[in-house]
Amino acid sequence: MKKHLKDFFIPHEGNDYAPQSLQKMAITGMVVLVVLSFTFANLHAILWITSDWMVSAVLPSVVVDLTNEERVESALGALKRNPALDEAARLKAQDMAKNEYFAHYSPDGISPWYWFAQADYNFVNAGENLAIHFTDSAELMDAWMDSPTHRTNIMNGNYTEIGVGTAEGTFDGYDTVYVVQLFGTPAAAPASVDTEIVQVAQAAEIEPEPTTVASQTIIETESTVAEEVADVLAQEVTLTEDVVIVAAEPEPITVEEVVSEPVVSPTATSSADVVDMEVTETGVVLFSDLVSTSTGGVPASISPEDAPVSNEASYIFEVLTQPHVMLQMLYVLVGLFVLGSLLLSILIEIRRQQPVQIVYSGALLALMTGLFYVHSALSVGAVVL
């Protein structure tokens, strides 16, 4: 086994200073592997992005996991996935797909917070990130993290919950997937009164205290004495002159007008700082638009044990939504293997270099670089808002 590895990687007299890893057959095999990987990665990107199940079920879970990974790395708490926020995000994504727009505010002026209300989610803090035109979930997250405004929403320590919704549609004539990422801090529920306790308390207040026989006798005696005194006074009073009863004029009553101040409910303060479009080196188009809001209310408390402790999506699902990452990993491994063998071939016995093998290796590396560039130009990129 040791001899075979030596013959395969290290140039020496036994293999005529030509390691088998750089011979024609080995290079041909690696060329086939590189081309197949290129083809598979591009087909993979097309297939998973057109799958309803992958887009609607798997992608939101992967996005939640990637978001929490970024927050945990920065010592921020993981966000809890909330079904109501998922629903609000799904409704917003479907509305954009149906009306073919890509903006925080719809052409009719509907704000992002309208969808929170449709999902019955009462919030104290809320934020929104949007994305379209992507074929890799990892690059989608990288695009958001590379934008200062989108990163601000993702890394906001005031948020405690997250929801992600998707919808397939067209935009500017191209088939695409709309992704809506919503953040929220739920508002504390109003204090509820236990009606049963109130009823018991009211019954206790109105229940008459029991009377004793002695107290009842005293009450009857006092009533009889009062009646006798009234009879005596009625018999002794005689009128000696006419009595004129003058009705007193009523004193004017001054009514002071009280103007009650209107009750002002907490109003949402939003921020939407829009800057010009920016195209990054990776092909990501950024509309750096920070959309967040706060009502100034009282947030609900979420105990640490309620925070997610496991991933929403399995590792297999993350791989299925990241074809570009898998291609990069494979190309890096093949490239390092070829470079290592080539350096050994050149440096170990410089006087016995094999020009043909050097040409083979250089051509393979050039092919890999070119294919990766083509792959990036065709499929890599995203538009985030």
Side-chain angles (χ1 to χ4, degrees):
M1 182 66 177
K2 183 177 180 180
K3 181 179 183 302
H4 289 298
L5 292 175
K6 182 179 180 181
D7 292 340
F8 193 79
F9 290 105
I10 300 175
H12 59 89
E13 186 176 359
N15 58 17
D16 196 20
Y17 299 96
Q20 297 175 1
S21 60
L22 297 182
Q23 291 182 6
K24 186 176 180 178
M25 289 299 296
I27 293 294
T28 302
M30 285 187 284
V31 168
V32 172
L33 176 63
V34 167
V35 174
L36 288 178
S37 301
F38 171 81
T39 304
F40 177 76
N42 285 278
L43 288 176
H44 181 190
I46 295 173
L47 291 175
W48 90 262
I49 209 71
T50 56
S51 168
D52 292 337
W53 176 69
M54 292 290 291
V55 168
S56 62
V58 175
L59 179 60
S61 299
V62 172
V63 171
V64 170
D65 289 341
L66 295 176
T67 301
N68 280 331
E69 288 176 9
E70 296 289 347
R71 289 175 62 93
V72 170
E73 288 180 2
S74 298
L76 293 172
L79 298 174
K80 180 181 179 181
R81 190 174 181 185
N82 187 299
L85 281 180
D86 279 344
E87 177 66 10
R90 185 187 66 83
L91 292 174
K92 172 63 180 287
Q94 288 183 343
D95 187 67
M96 288 195 297
K98 177 182 177 181
N99 297 291
E100 295 188 19
Y101 72 93
F102 181 60
H104 292 291
Y105 288 78
S106 73
D108 298 333
I110 298 177
S111 75
W113 327 126
Y114 169 81
W115 307 107
F116 284 75
Q118 294 301 301
D120 294 327
Y121 186 87
N122 297 321
F123 62 86
V124 174
N125 302 304
E128 179 185 70
N129 285 343
L130 305 178
I132 56 173
H133 295 335
F134 69 96
T135 53
D136 190 286
S137 57
E139 289 182 352
L140 168 62
M141 180 56 59
D142 290 341
W144 276 333
M145 292 300 293
D146 290 340
S147 169
T149 53
H150 297 86
R151 180 186 176 91
T152 298
N153 267 339
I154 293 174
M155 309 304 286
N156 191 329
N158 292 326
Y159 298 141
T160 57
E161 295 182 338
I162 187 175
V164 178
T166 62
E168 296 184 59
T170 59
F171 183 72
D172 288 342
Y174 295 96
D175 293 336
T176 189
V177 173
Y178 294 83
V179 179
V180 179
Q181 183 185 45
L182 297 181
F183 305 93
T185 306
S192 60
V193 181
D194 193 330
T195 55
E196 183 177 354
I197 295 177
V198 172
Q199 291 175 355
V200 172
Q202 291 177 346
E205 290 178 359
I206 63 176
E207 184 178 355
E209 296 182 358
T211 56
T212 61
V213 176
S215 60
Q216 188 173 1
T217 303
I218 294 173
I219 293 173
E220 292 177 354
T221 304
E222 291 179 350
S223 177
T224 302
V225 173
E227 290 177 358
E228 291 177 354
V229 172
D231 291 340
V232 173
L233 292 176
Q235 292 175 1
E236 294 181 353
V237 173
T238 58
L239 297 177
T240 57
E241 58 183 14
D242 295 335
V243 178
V244 180
I245 301 176
V246 180
E249 295 183 1
E251 296 181 0
I253 300 175
T254 303
V255 178
E256 182 179 357
E257 184 178 1
V258 179
V259 180
S260 59
E261 297 181 358
V263 178
V264 181
S265 59
T267 56
T269 57
S270 301
S271 60
D273 303 326
V274 183
V275 300
D276 294 335
M277 180 183 69
E278 176 187 357
V279 181
T280 65
E281 296 179 355
T282 59
V284 177
V285 180
L286 303 177
F287 297 89
S288 296
D289 190 2
L290 174 61
V291 172
S292 60
T293 188
S294 177
T295 63
V298 179
S301 60
I302 297 180
S303 58
E305 58 267 17
D306 291 335
V309 294
S310 60
N311 290 342
E312 294 284 339
S314 65
Y315 178 74
I316 297 298
F317 287 157
E318 290 190 12
V319 171
L320 290 177
T321 61
Q322 298 177 15
H324 307 331
V325 175
M326 299 306 297
L327 184 66
Q328 291 172 10
M329 292 175 59
L330 179 60
Y331 276 21
V332 167
L333 291 176
V334 174
L336 289 176
F337 172 77
V338 174
L339 282 175
S341 299
L342 184 59
L343 290 175
L344 286 174
S345 177
I346 293 174
L347 298 177
I348 288 182
E349 192 61 41
I350 195 169
R351 293 174 300 176
R352 299 178 182 273
Q353 293 179 8
Q354 300 292 327
V356 175
Q357 290 192 336
I358 294 175
V359 172
Y360 288 162
S361 304
L364 176 58
L365 293 174
L367 175 65
M368 292 173 56
T369 303
L371 288 178
F372 189 77
Y373 176 79
V374 172
H375 172 75
S376 300
L378 291 176
S379 59
V380 174
V383 180
V384 298
L385 178 63

